[in-house]
Structures are given as structure tokens and as C-alpha cells.
Amino acid sequence: MVRLIDVSKAYDNGTRALESVSLRIEDGGFVFLVGPSGSGKSTIVKLLTGEIRPTSGRIMVNGYNLNTIRDGQIPFMRRTLGVIFQDFRLIEKKTVCENLTFAMRAVGTSPKEIRKRVGYVLELVGLDCKLSCRPCELSGGEQQRVAIARALVNNPSMIIADEPTGNLDPTRSFEIMLLLERINALGTTVLVVTHEKELVNRFTKRVVAIDGGRVVSDGMDGYYQNEK
Ligand code: ADP
Ligand code: ADP
């Protein structure tokens, strides 16, 4: 479970990025976090991954209290999260299979377990036939599916997707969202950060809207329920 309780964040230059944000995401939930550019979406993601610390307020991520967590515990907290970015961030010189095994070796998984898990997640994202391809040989949508597979290999409790469809056409974008929906149905909590209104409104999911660093709506009514 993720909880932000009365969280504010001011950056060193004085910019107040978040003002008193409270948010609770239950295990197994699917949440779209939406809002215009500069509204504070990335700040929330960076707080959840422990990249930055709040100025005030409390943050809990999958059983870790980020206010009191020791630096040595941060890698363990991060293993409960799988993060996906707009620009995929795959290792270009490695094949699909190597990108995934690399992520698993980094946490000390046995070769036998790695083979089993890599096969499973690649089948889940529909890319078991692309095992030996390098990222440059794949389309944008396929690269994002590899990134999703990589985020899943270490079996995180939660996937955080930060503008995952920013580089994809509408059809590919919809496919990526359907895949995230399927992953959620298999039990992983999913947080999708996006400003793509049409895409969000094709799903019936909880939408948390932020603007000017504040939560301005939260519910099942789609993007900006209060918009005229
Ligand atoms: P799930 O996605 O598994 O249904 P959620 O935690 O996303 O679980 O939400 C369950 C229901 O409660 C949804 O209808 C959601 O809109 C609502 N809900 C959850 N948290 C809040 C909140 N902080 N404010 C408003 N509605 C919420
Ligand atoms: P979004 O992801 O919704 O575009 P951000 O969380 O990146 O919004 O930014 C929220 C506000 O904080 C913006 O005004 C932005 O300019 C500011 N901001 C973001 N990162 C920094 C930083 N490292 N230093 C100072 N201001 C920042």
C-alpha cells in the first residue's frame, strides 16, 4: 500500500511543487494520476521512489516509512516498485533477454529462477519471440513492453508508469494501457502518470487529478470530473 499524508514539497530554489497532498492507494488498486505539465506529477513519483524527500508530511510505500527509512534500506524499498518511463530506458547493447536477466542478477536471483521468470514475463507482454532482439530492432510499443517486462521480473508489489505512452501512437498507447490493466488484474498495484485525457477516459478507473501541487479531484468519474 502507498500512503501520502499531508505531503508538501518545496525545492531548494523555493518552488512549491506540492501542497498538502494526501493520497492512499490500496494493494491491487489501479490509479491514473493526471494533471497539466508542472502540476507536481513527477514530484510525487520521485517521492515514492525515494529519489527526493518531502519538506513535510508522511509517506509510506509497501510497508516502508520513507520519513524514517535508512539509506541502506532504500534499495529494498525500491525492489517493491517497478518503474517504467516514457523513454523506455533499455540497455541498447543488450538483447531483450539480457536486459531482463541483468535486472534479475542485480538482485541475486538463481539462473534457474531467472530462466523461468524471463519466459513467463515475456510471454505475458507478448514478446517471447523477440528474446534475442536488441532494442533498436523493435518498435516503440515493443520496447515499452520490454520495459514493462523488465519492471515485472523481480515481482514488485507495484508498477509506477511515468508517462508510459508519451512516445507512442494512439493504437500502441491503448495496447500498453490494456497490458497494464491485465498486469493489475494479476494482482500488481498500478499507478499510471499521464496527461493523455482521451486515453484515460477510455478506462473506468480511479483518476486522481492534481493541479498547482494540490489534489483537485479523486474518483471514478474520469479525467477532470469538475471540468466544464
Ligand atoms: P480498486 O482500483 O481496486 O477498485 P481503489 O483503491 O482504486 O481500488 O478504489 C476503490 C474505490 O474507492 C474506487 O471507487 C475509488 O474511486 C474510491 N477511492 C479510493 N480512494 C479514494 C479517495 N482517496 N478519494 C476518493 N475515492 C477514492
Ligand atoms: P509535472 O511532472 O506534473 O510536470 P513536476 O513535479 O515536474 O510536474 O514539477 C512541479 C513543479 O516543481 C514545477 O513548477 C516544476 O518547475 C518544479 N520543479 C520540478 N523539479 C524541480 C527541481 N529539481 N527544482 C526546482 N523546481 C522543480
Side-chain angles (χ1 to χ4, degrees), residues 94-102 114 118 122 130-133 146:
K94 294 189 188 290
T95 65
V96 167
C97 182
E98 288 162 355
N99 265 278
L100 302 194
T101 53
F102 186 72
I114 290 178
V118 166
L122 280 181
K130 302 282 184 182
L131 203 73
S132 312
C133 293
V146 175

Side-chain angles (χ1 to χ4, degrees), residues 153-165:
V153 279
N154 293 323
N155 207 12
S157 327
M158 181 179 192
I159 292 283
I160 299 178
D162 193 353
E163 297 283 359
T165 61

Side-chain angles (χ1 to χ4, degrees), residues 6-160:
D6 213 14
V7 169
S8 296
K9 173 67 187 177
Y11 285 104
D12 289 343
N13 67 0
T15 304
R16 304 181 67 90
L18 295 178
E19 296 279 359
S20 231
V21 168
S22 293
L23 184 64
R24 179 190 178 113
I25 304 175
E26 301 293 344
D27 286 342
F30 189 118
V31 177
F32 284 115
L33 176 63
V34 304
S37 179
S39 57
K41 303 185 296 299
S42 306
T43 300
I44 290 180
V45 171
K46 287 179 191 156
L47 286 168
L48 294 179
T49 59
E51 198 181 317
I52 57 173
R53 304 238 171 190
T55 309
S56 62
R58 289 168 51 207
I59 305 180
M60 301 287 306
V61 174
N62 299 326
Y64 292 88
N65 180 336
L66 299 200
N67 298 83
T68 55
I69 194 170
R70 289 200 226 102
D71 287 347
Q73 288 293 311
I74 286 186
F76 295 97
M77 181 279 289
R78 286 198 180 135
R79 283 178 205 173
T80 71
L81 303 172
V83 188
I84 301 157
F85 304 93
Q86 175 169 354
D87 56 0
F88 320 134
R89 302 197 191 176
L90 299 171
I91 303 170
E92 292 295 329
K93 283 186 293 192
K94 294 189 188 290
T95 65
V96 167
C97 182
E98 288 162 355
N99 265 278
L100 302 194
T101 53
F102 186 72
M104 294 189 82
R105 279 209 209 96
V107 303
T109 314
S110 73
K112 185 174 167 220
E113 185 59 31
I114 290 178
R115 270 197 304 279
K116 234 171 76 185
R117 185 75 184 159
V118 166
Y120 171 75
V121 293
L122 280 181
E123 200 179 309
L124 181 65
V125 303
L127 286 179
D128 33 336
C129 55
K130 302 282 184 182
L131 203 73
S132 312
C133 293
R134 285 174 211 287
C136 63
E137 299 171 291
L138 301 173
S139 70
E142 287 170 339
Q143 288 187 54
Q144 192 58 297
R145 283 192 277 147
V146 175
I148 292 172
R150 183 181 56 183
L152 282 172
V153 279
N154 293 323
N155 207 12
S157 327
M158 181 179 192
I159 292 283
I160 299 178

Side-chain angles (χ1 to χ4, degrees), residues 25 28-32 158-159 161 180 183-184 188-192:
I25 304 175
F30 189 118
V31 177
F32 284 115
M158 181 179 192
I159 292 283
L180 291 170
I183 288 163
N184 175 244
T188 309
T189 310
V190 174
L191 174 66
V192 180

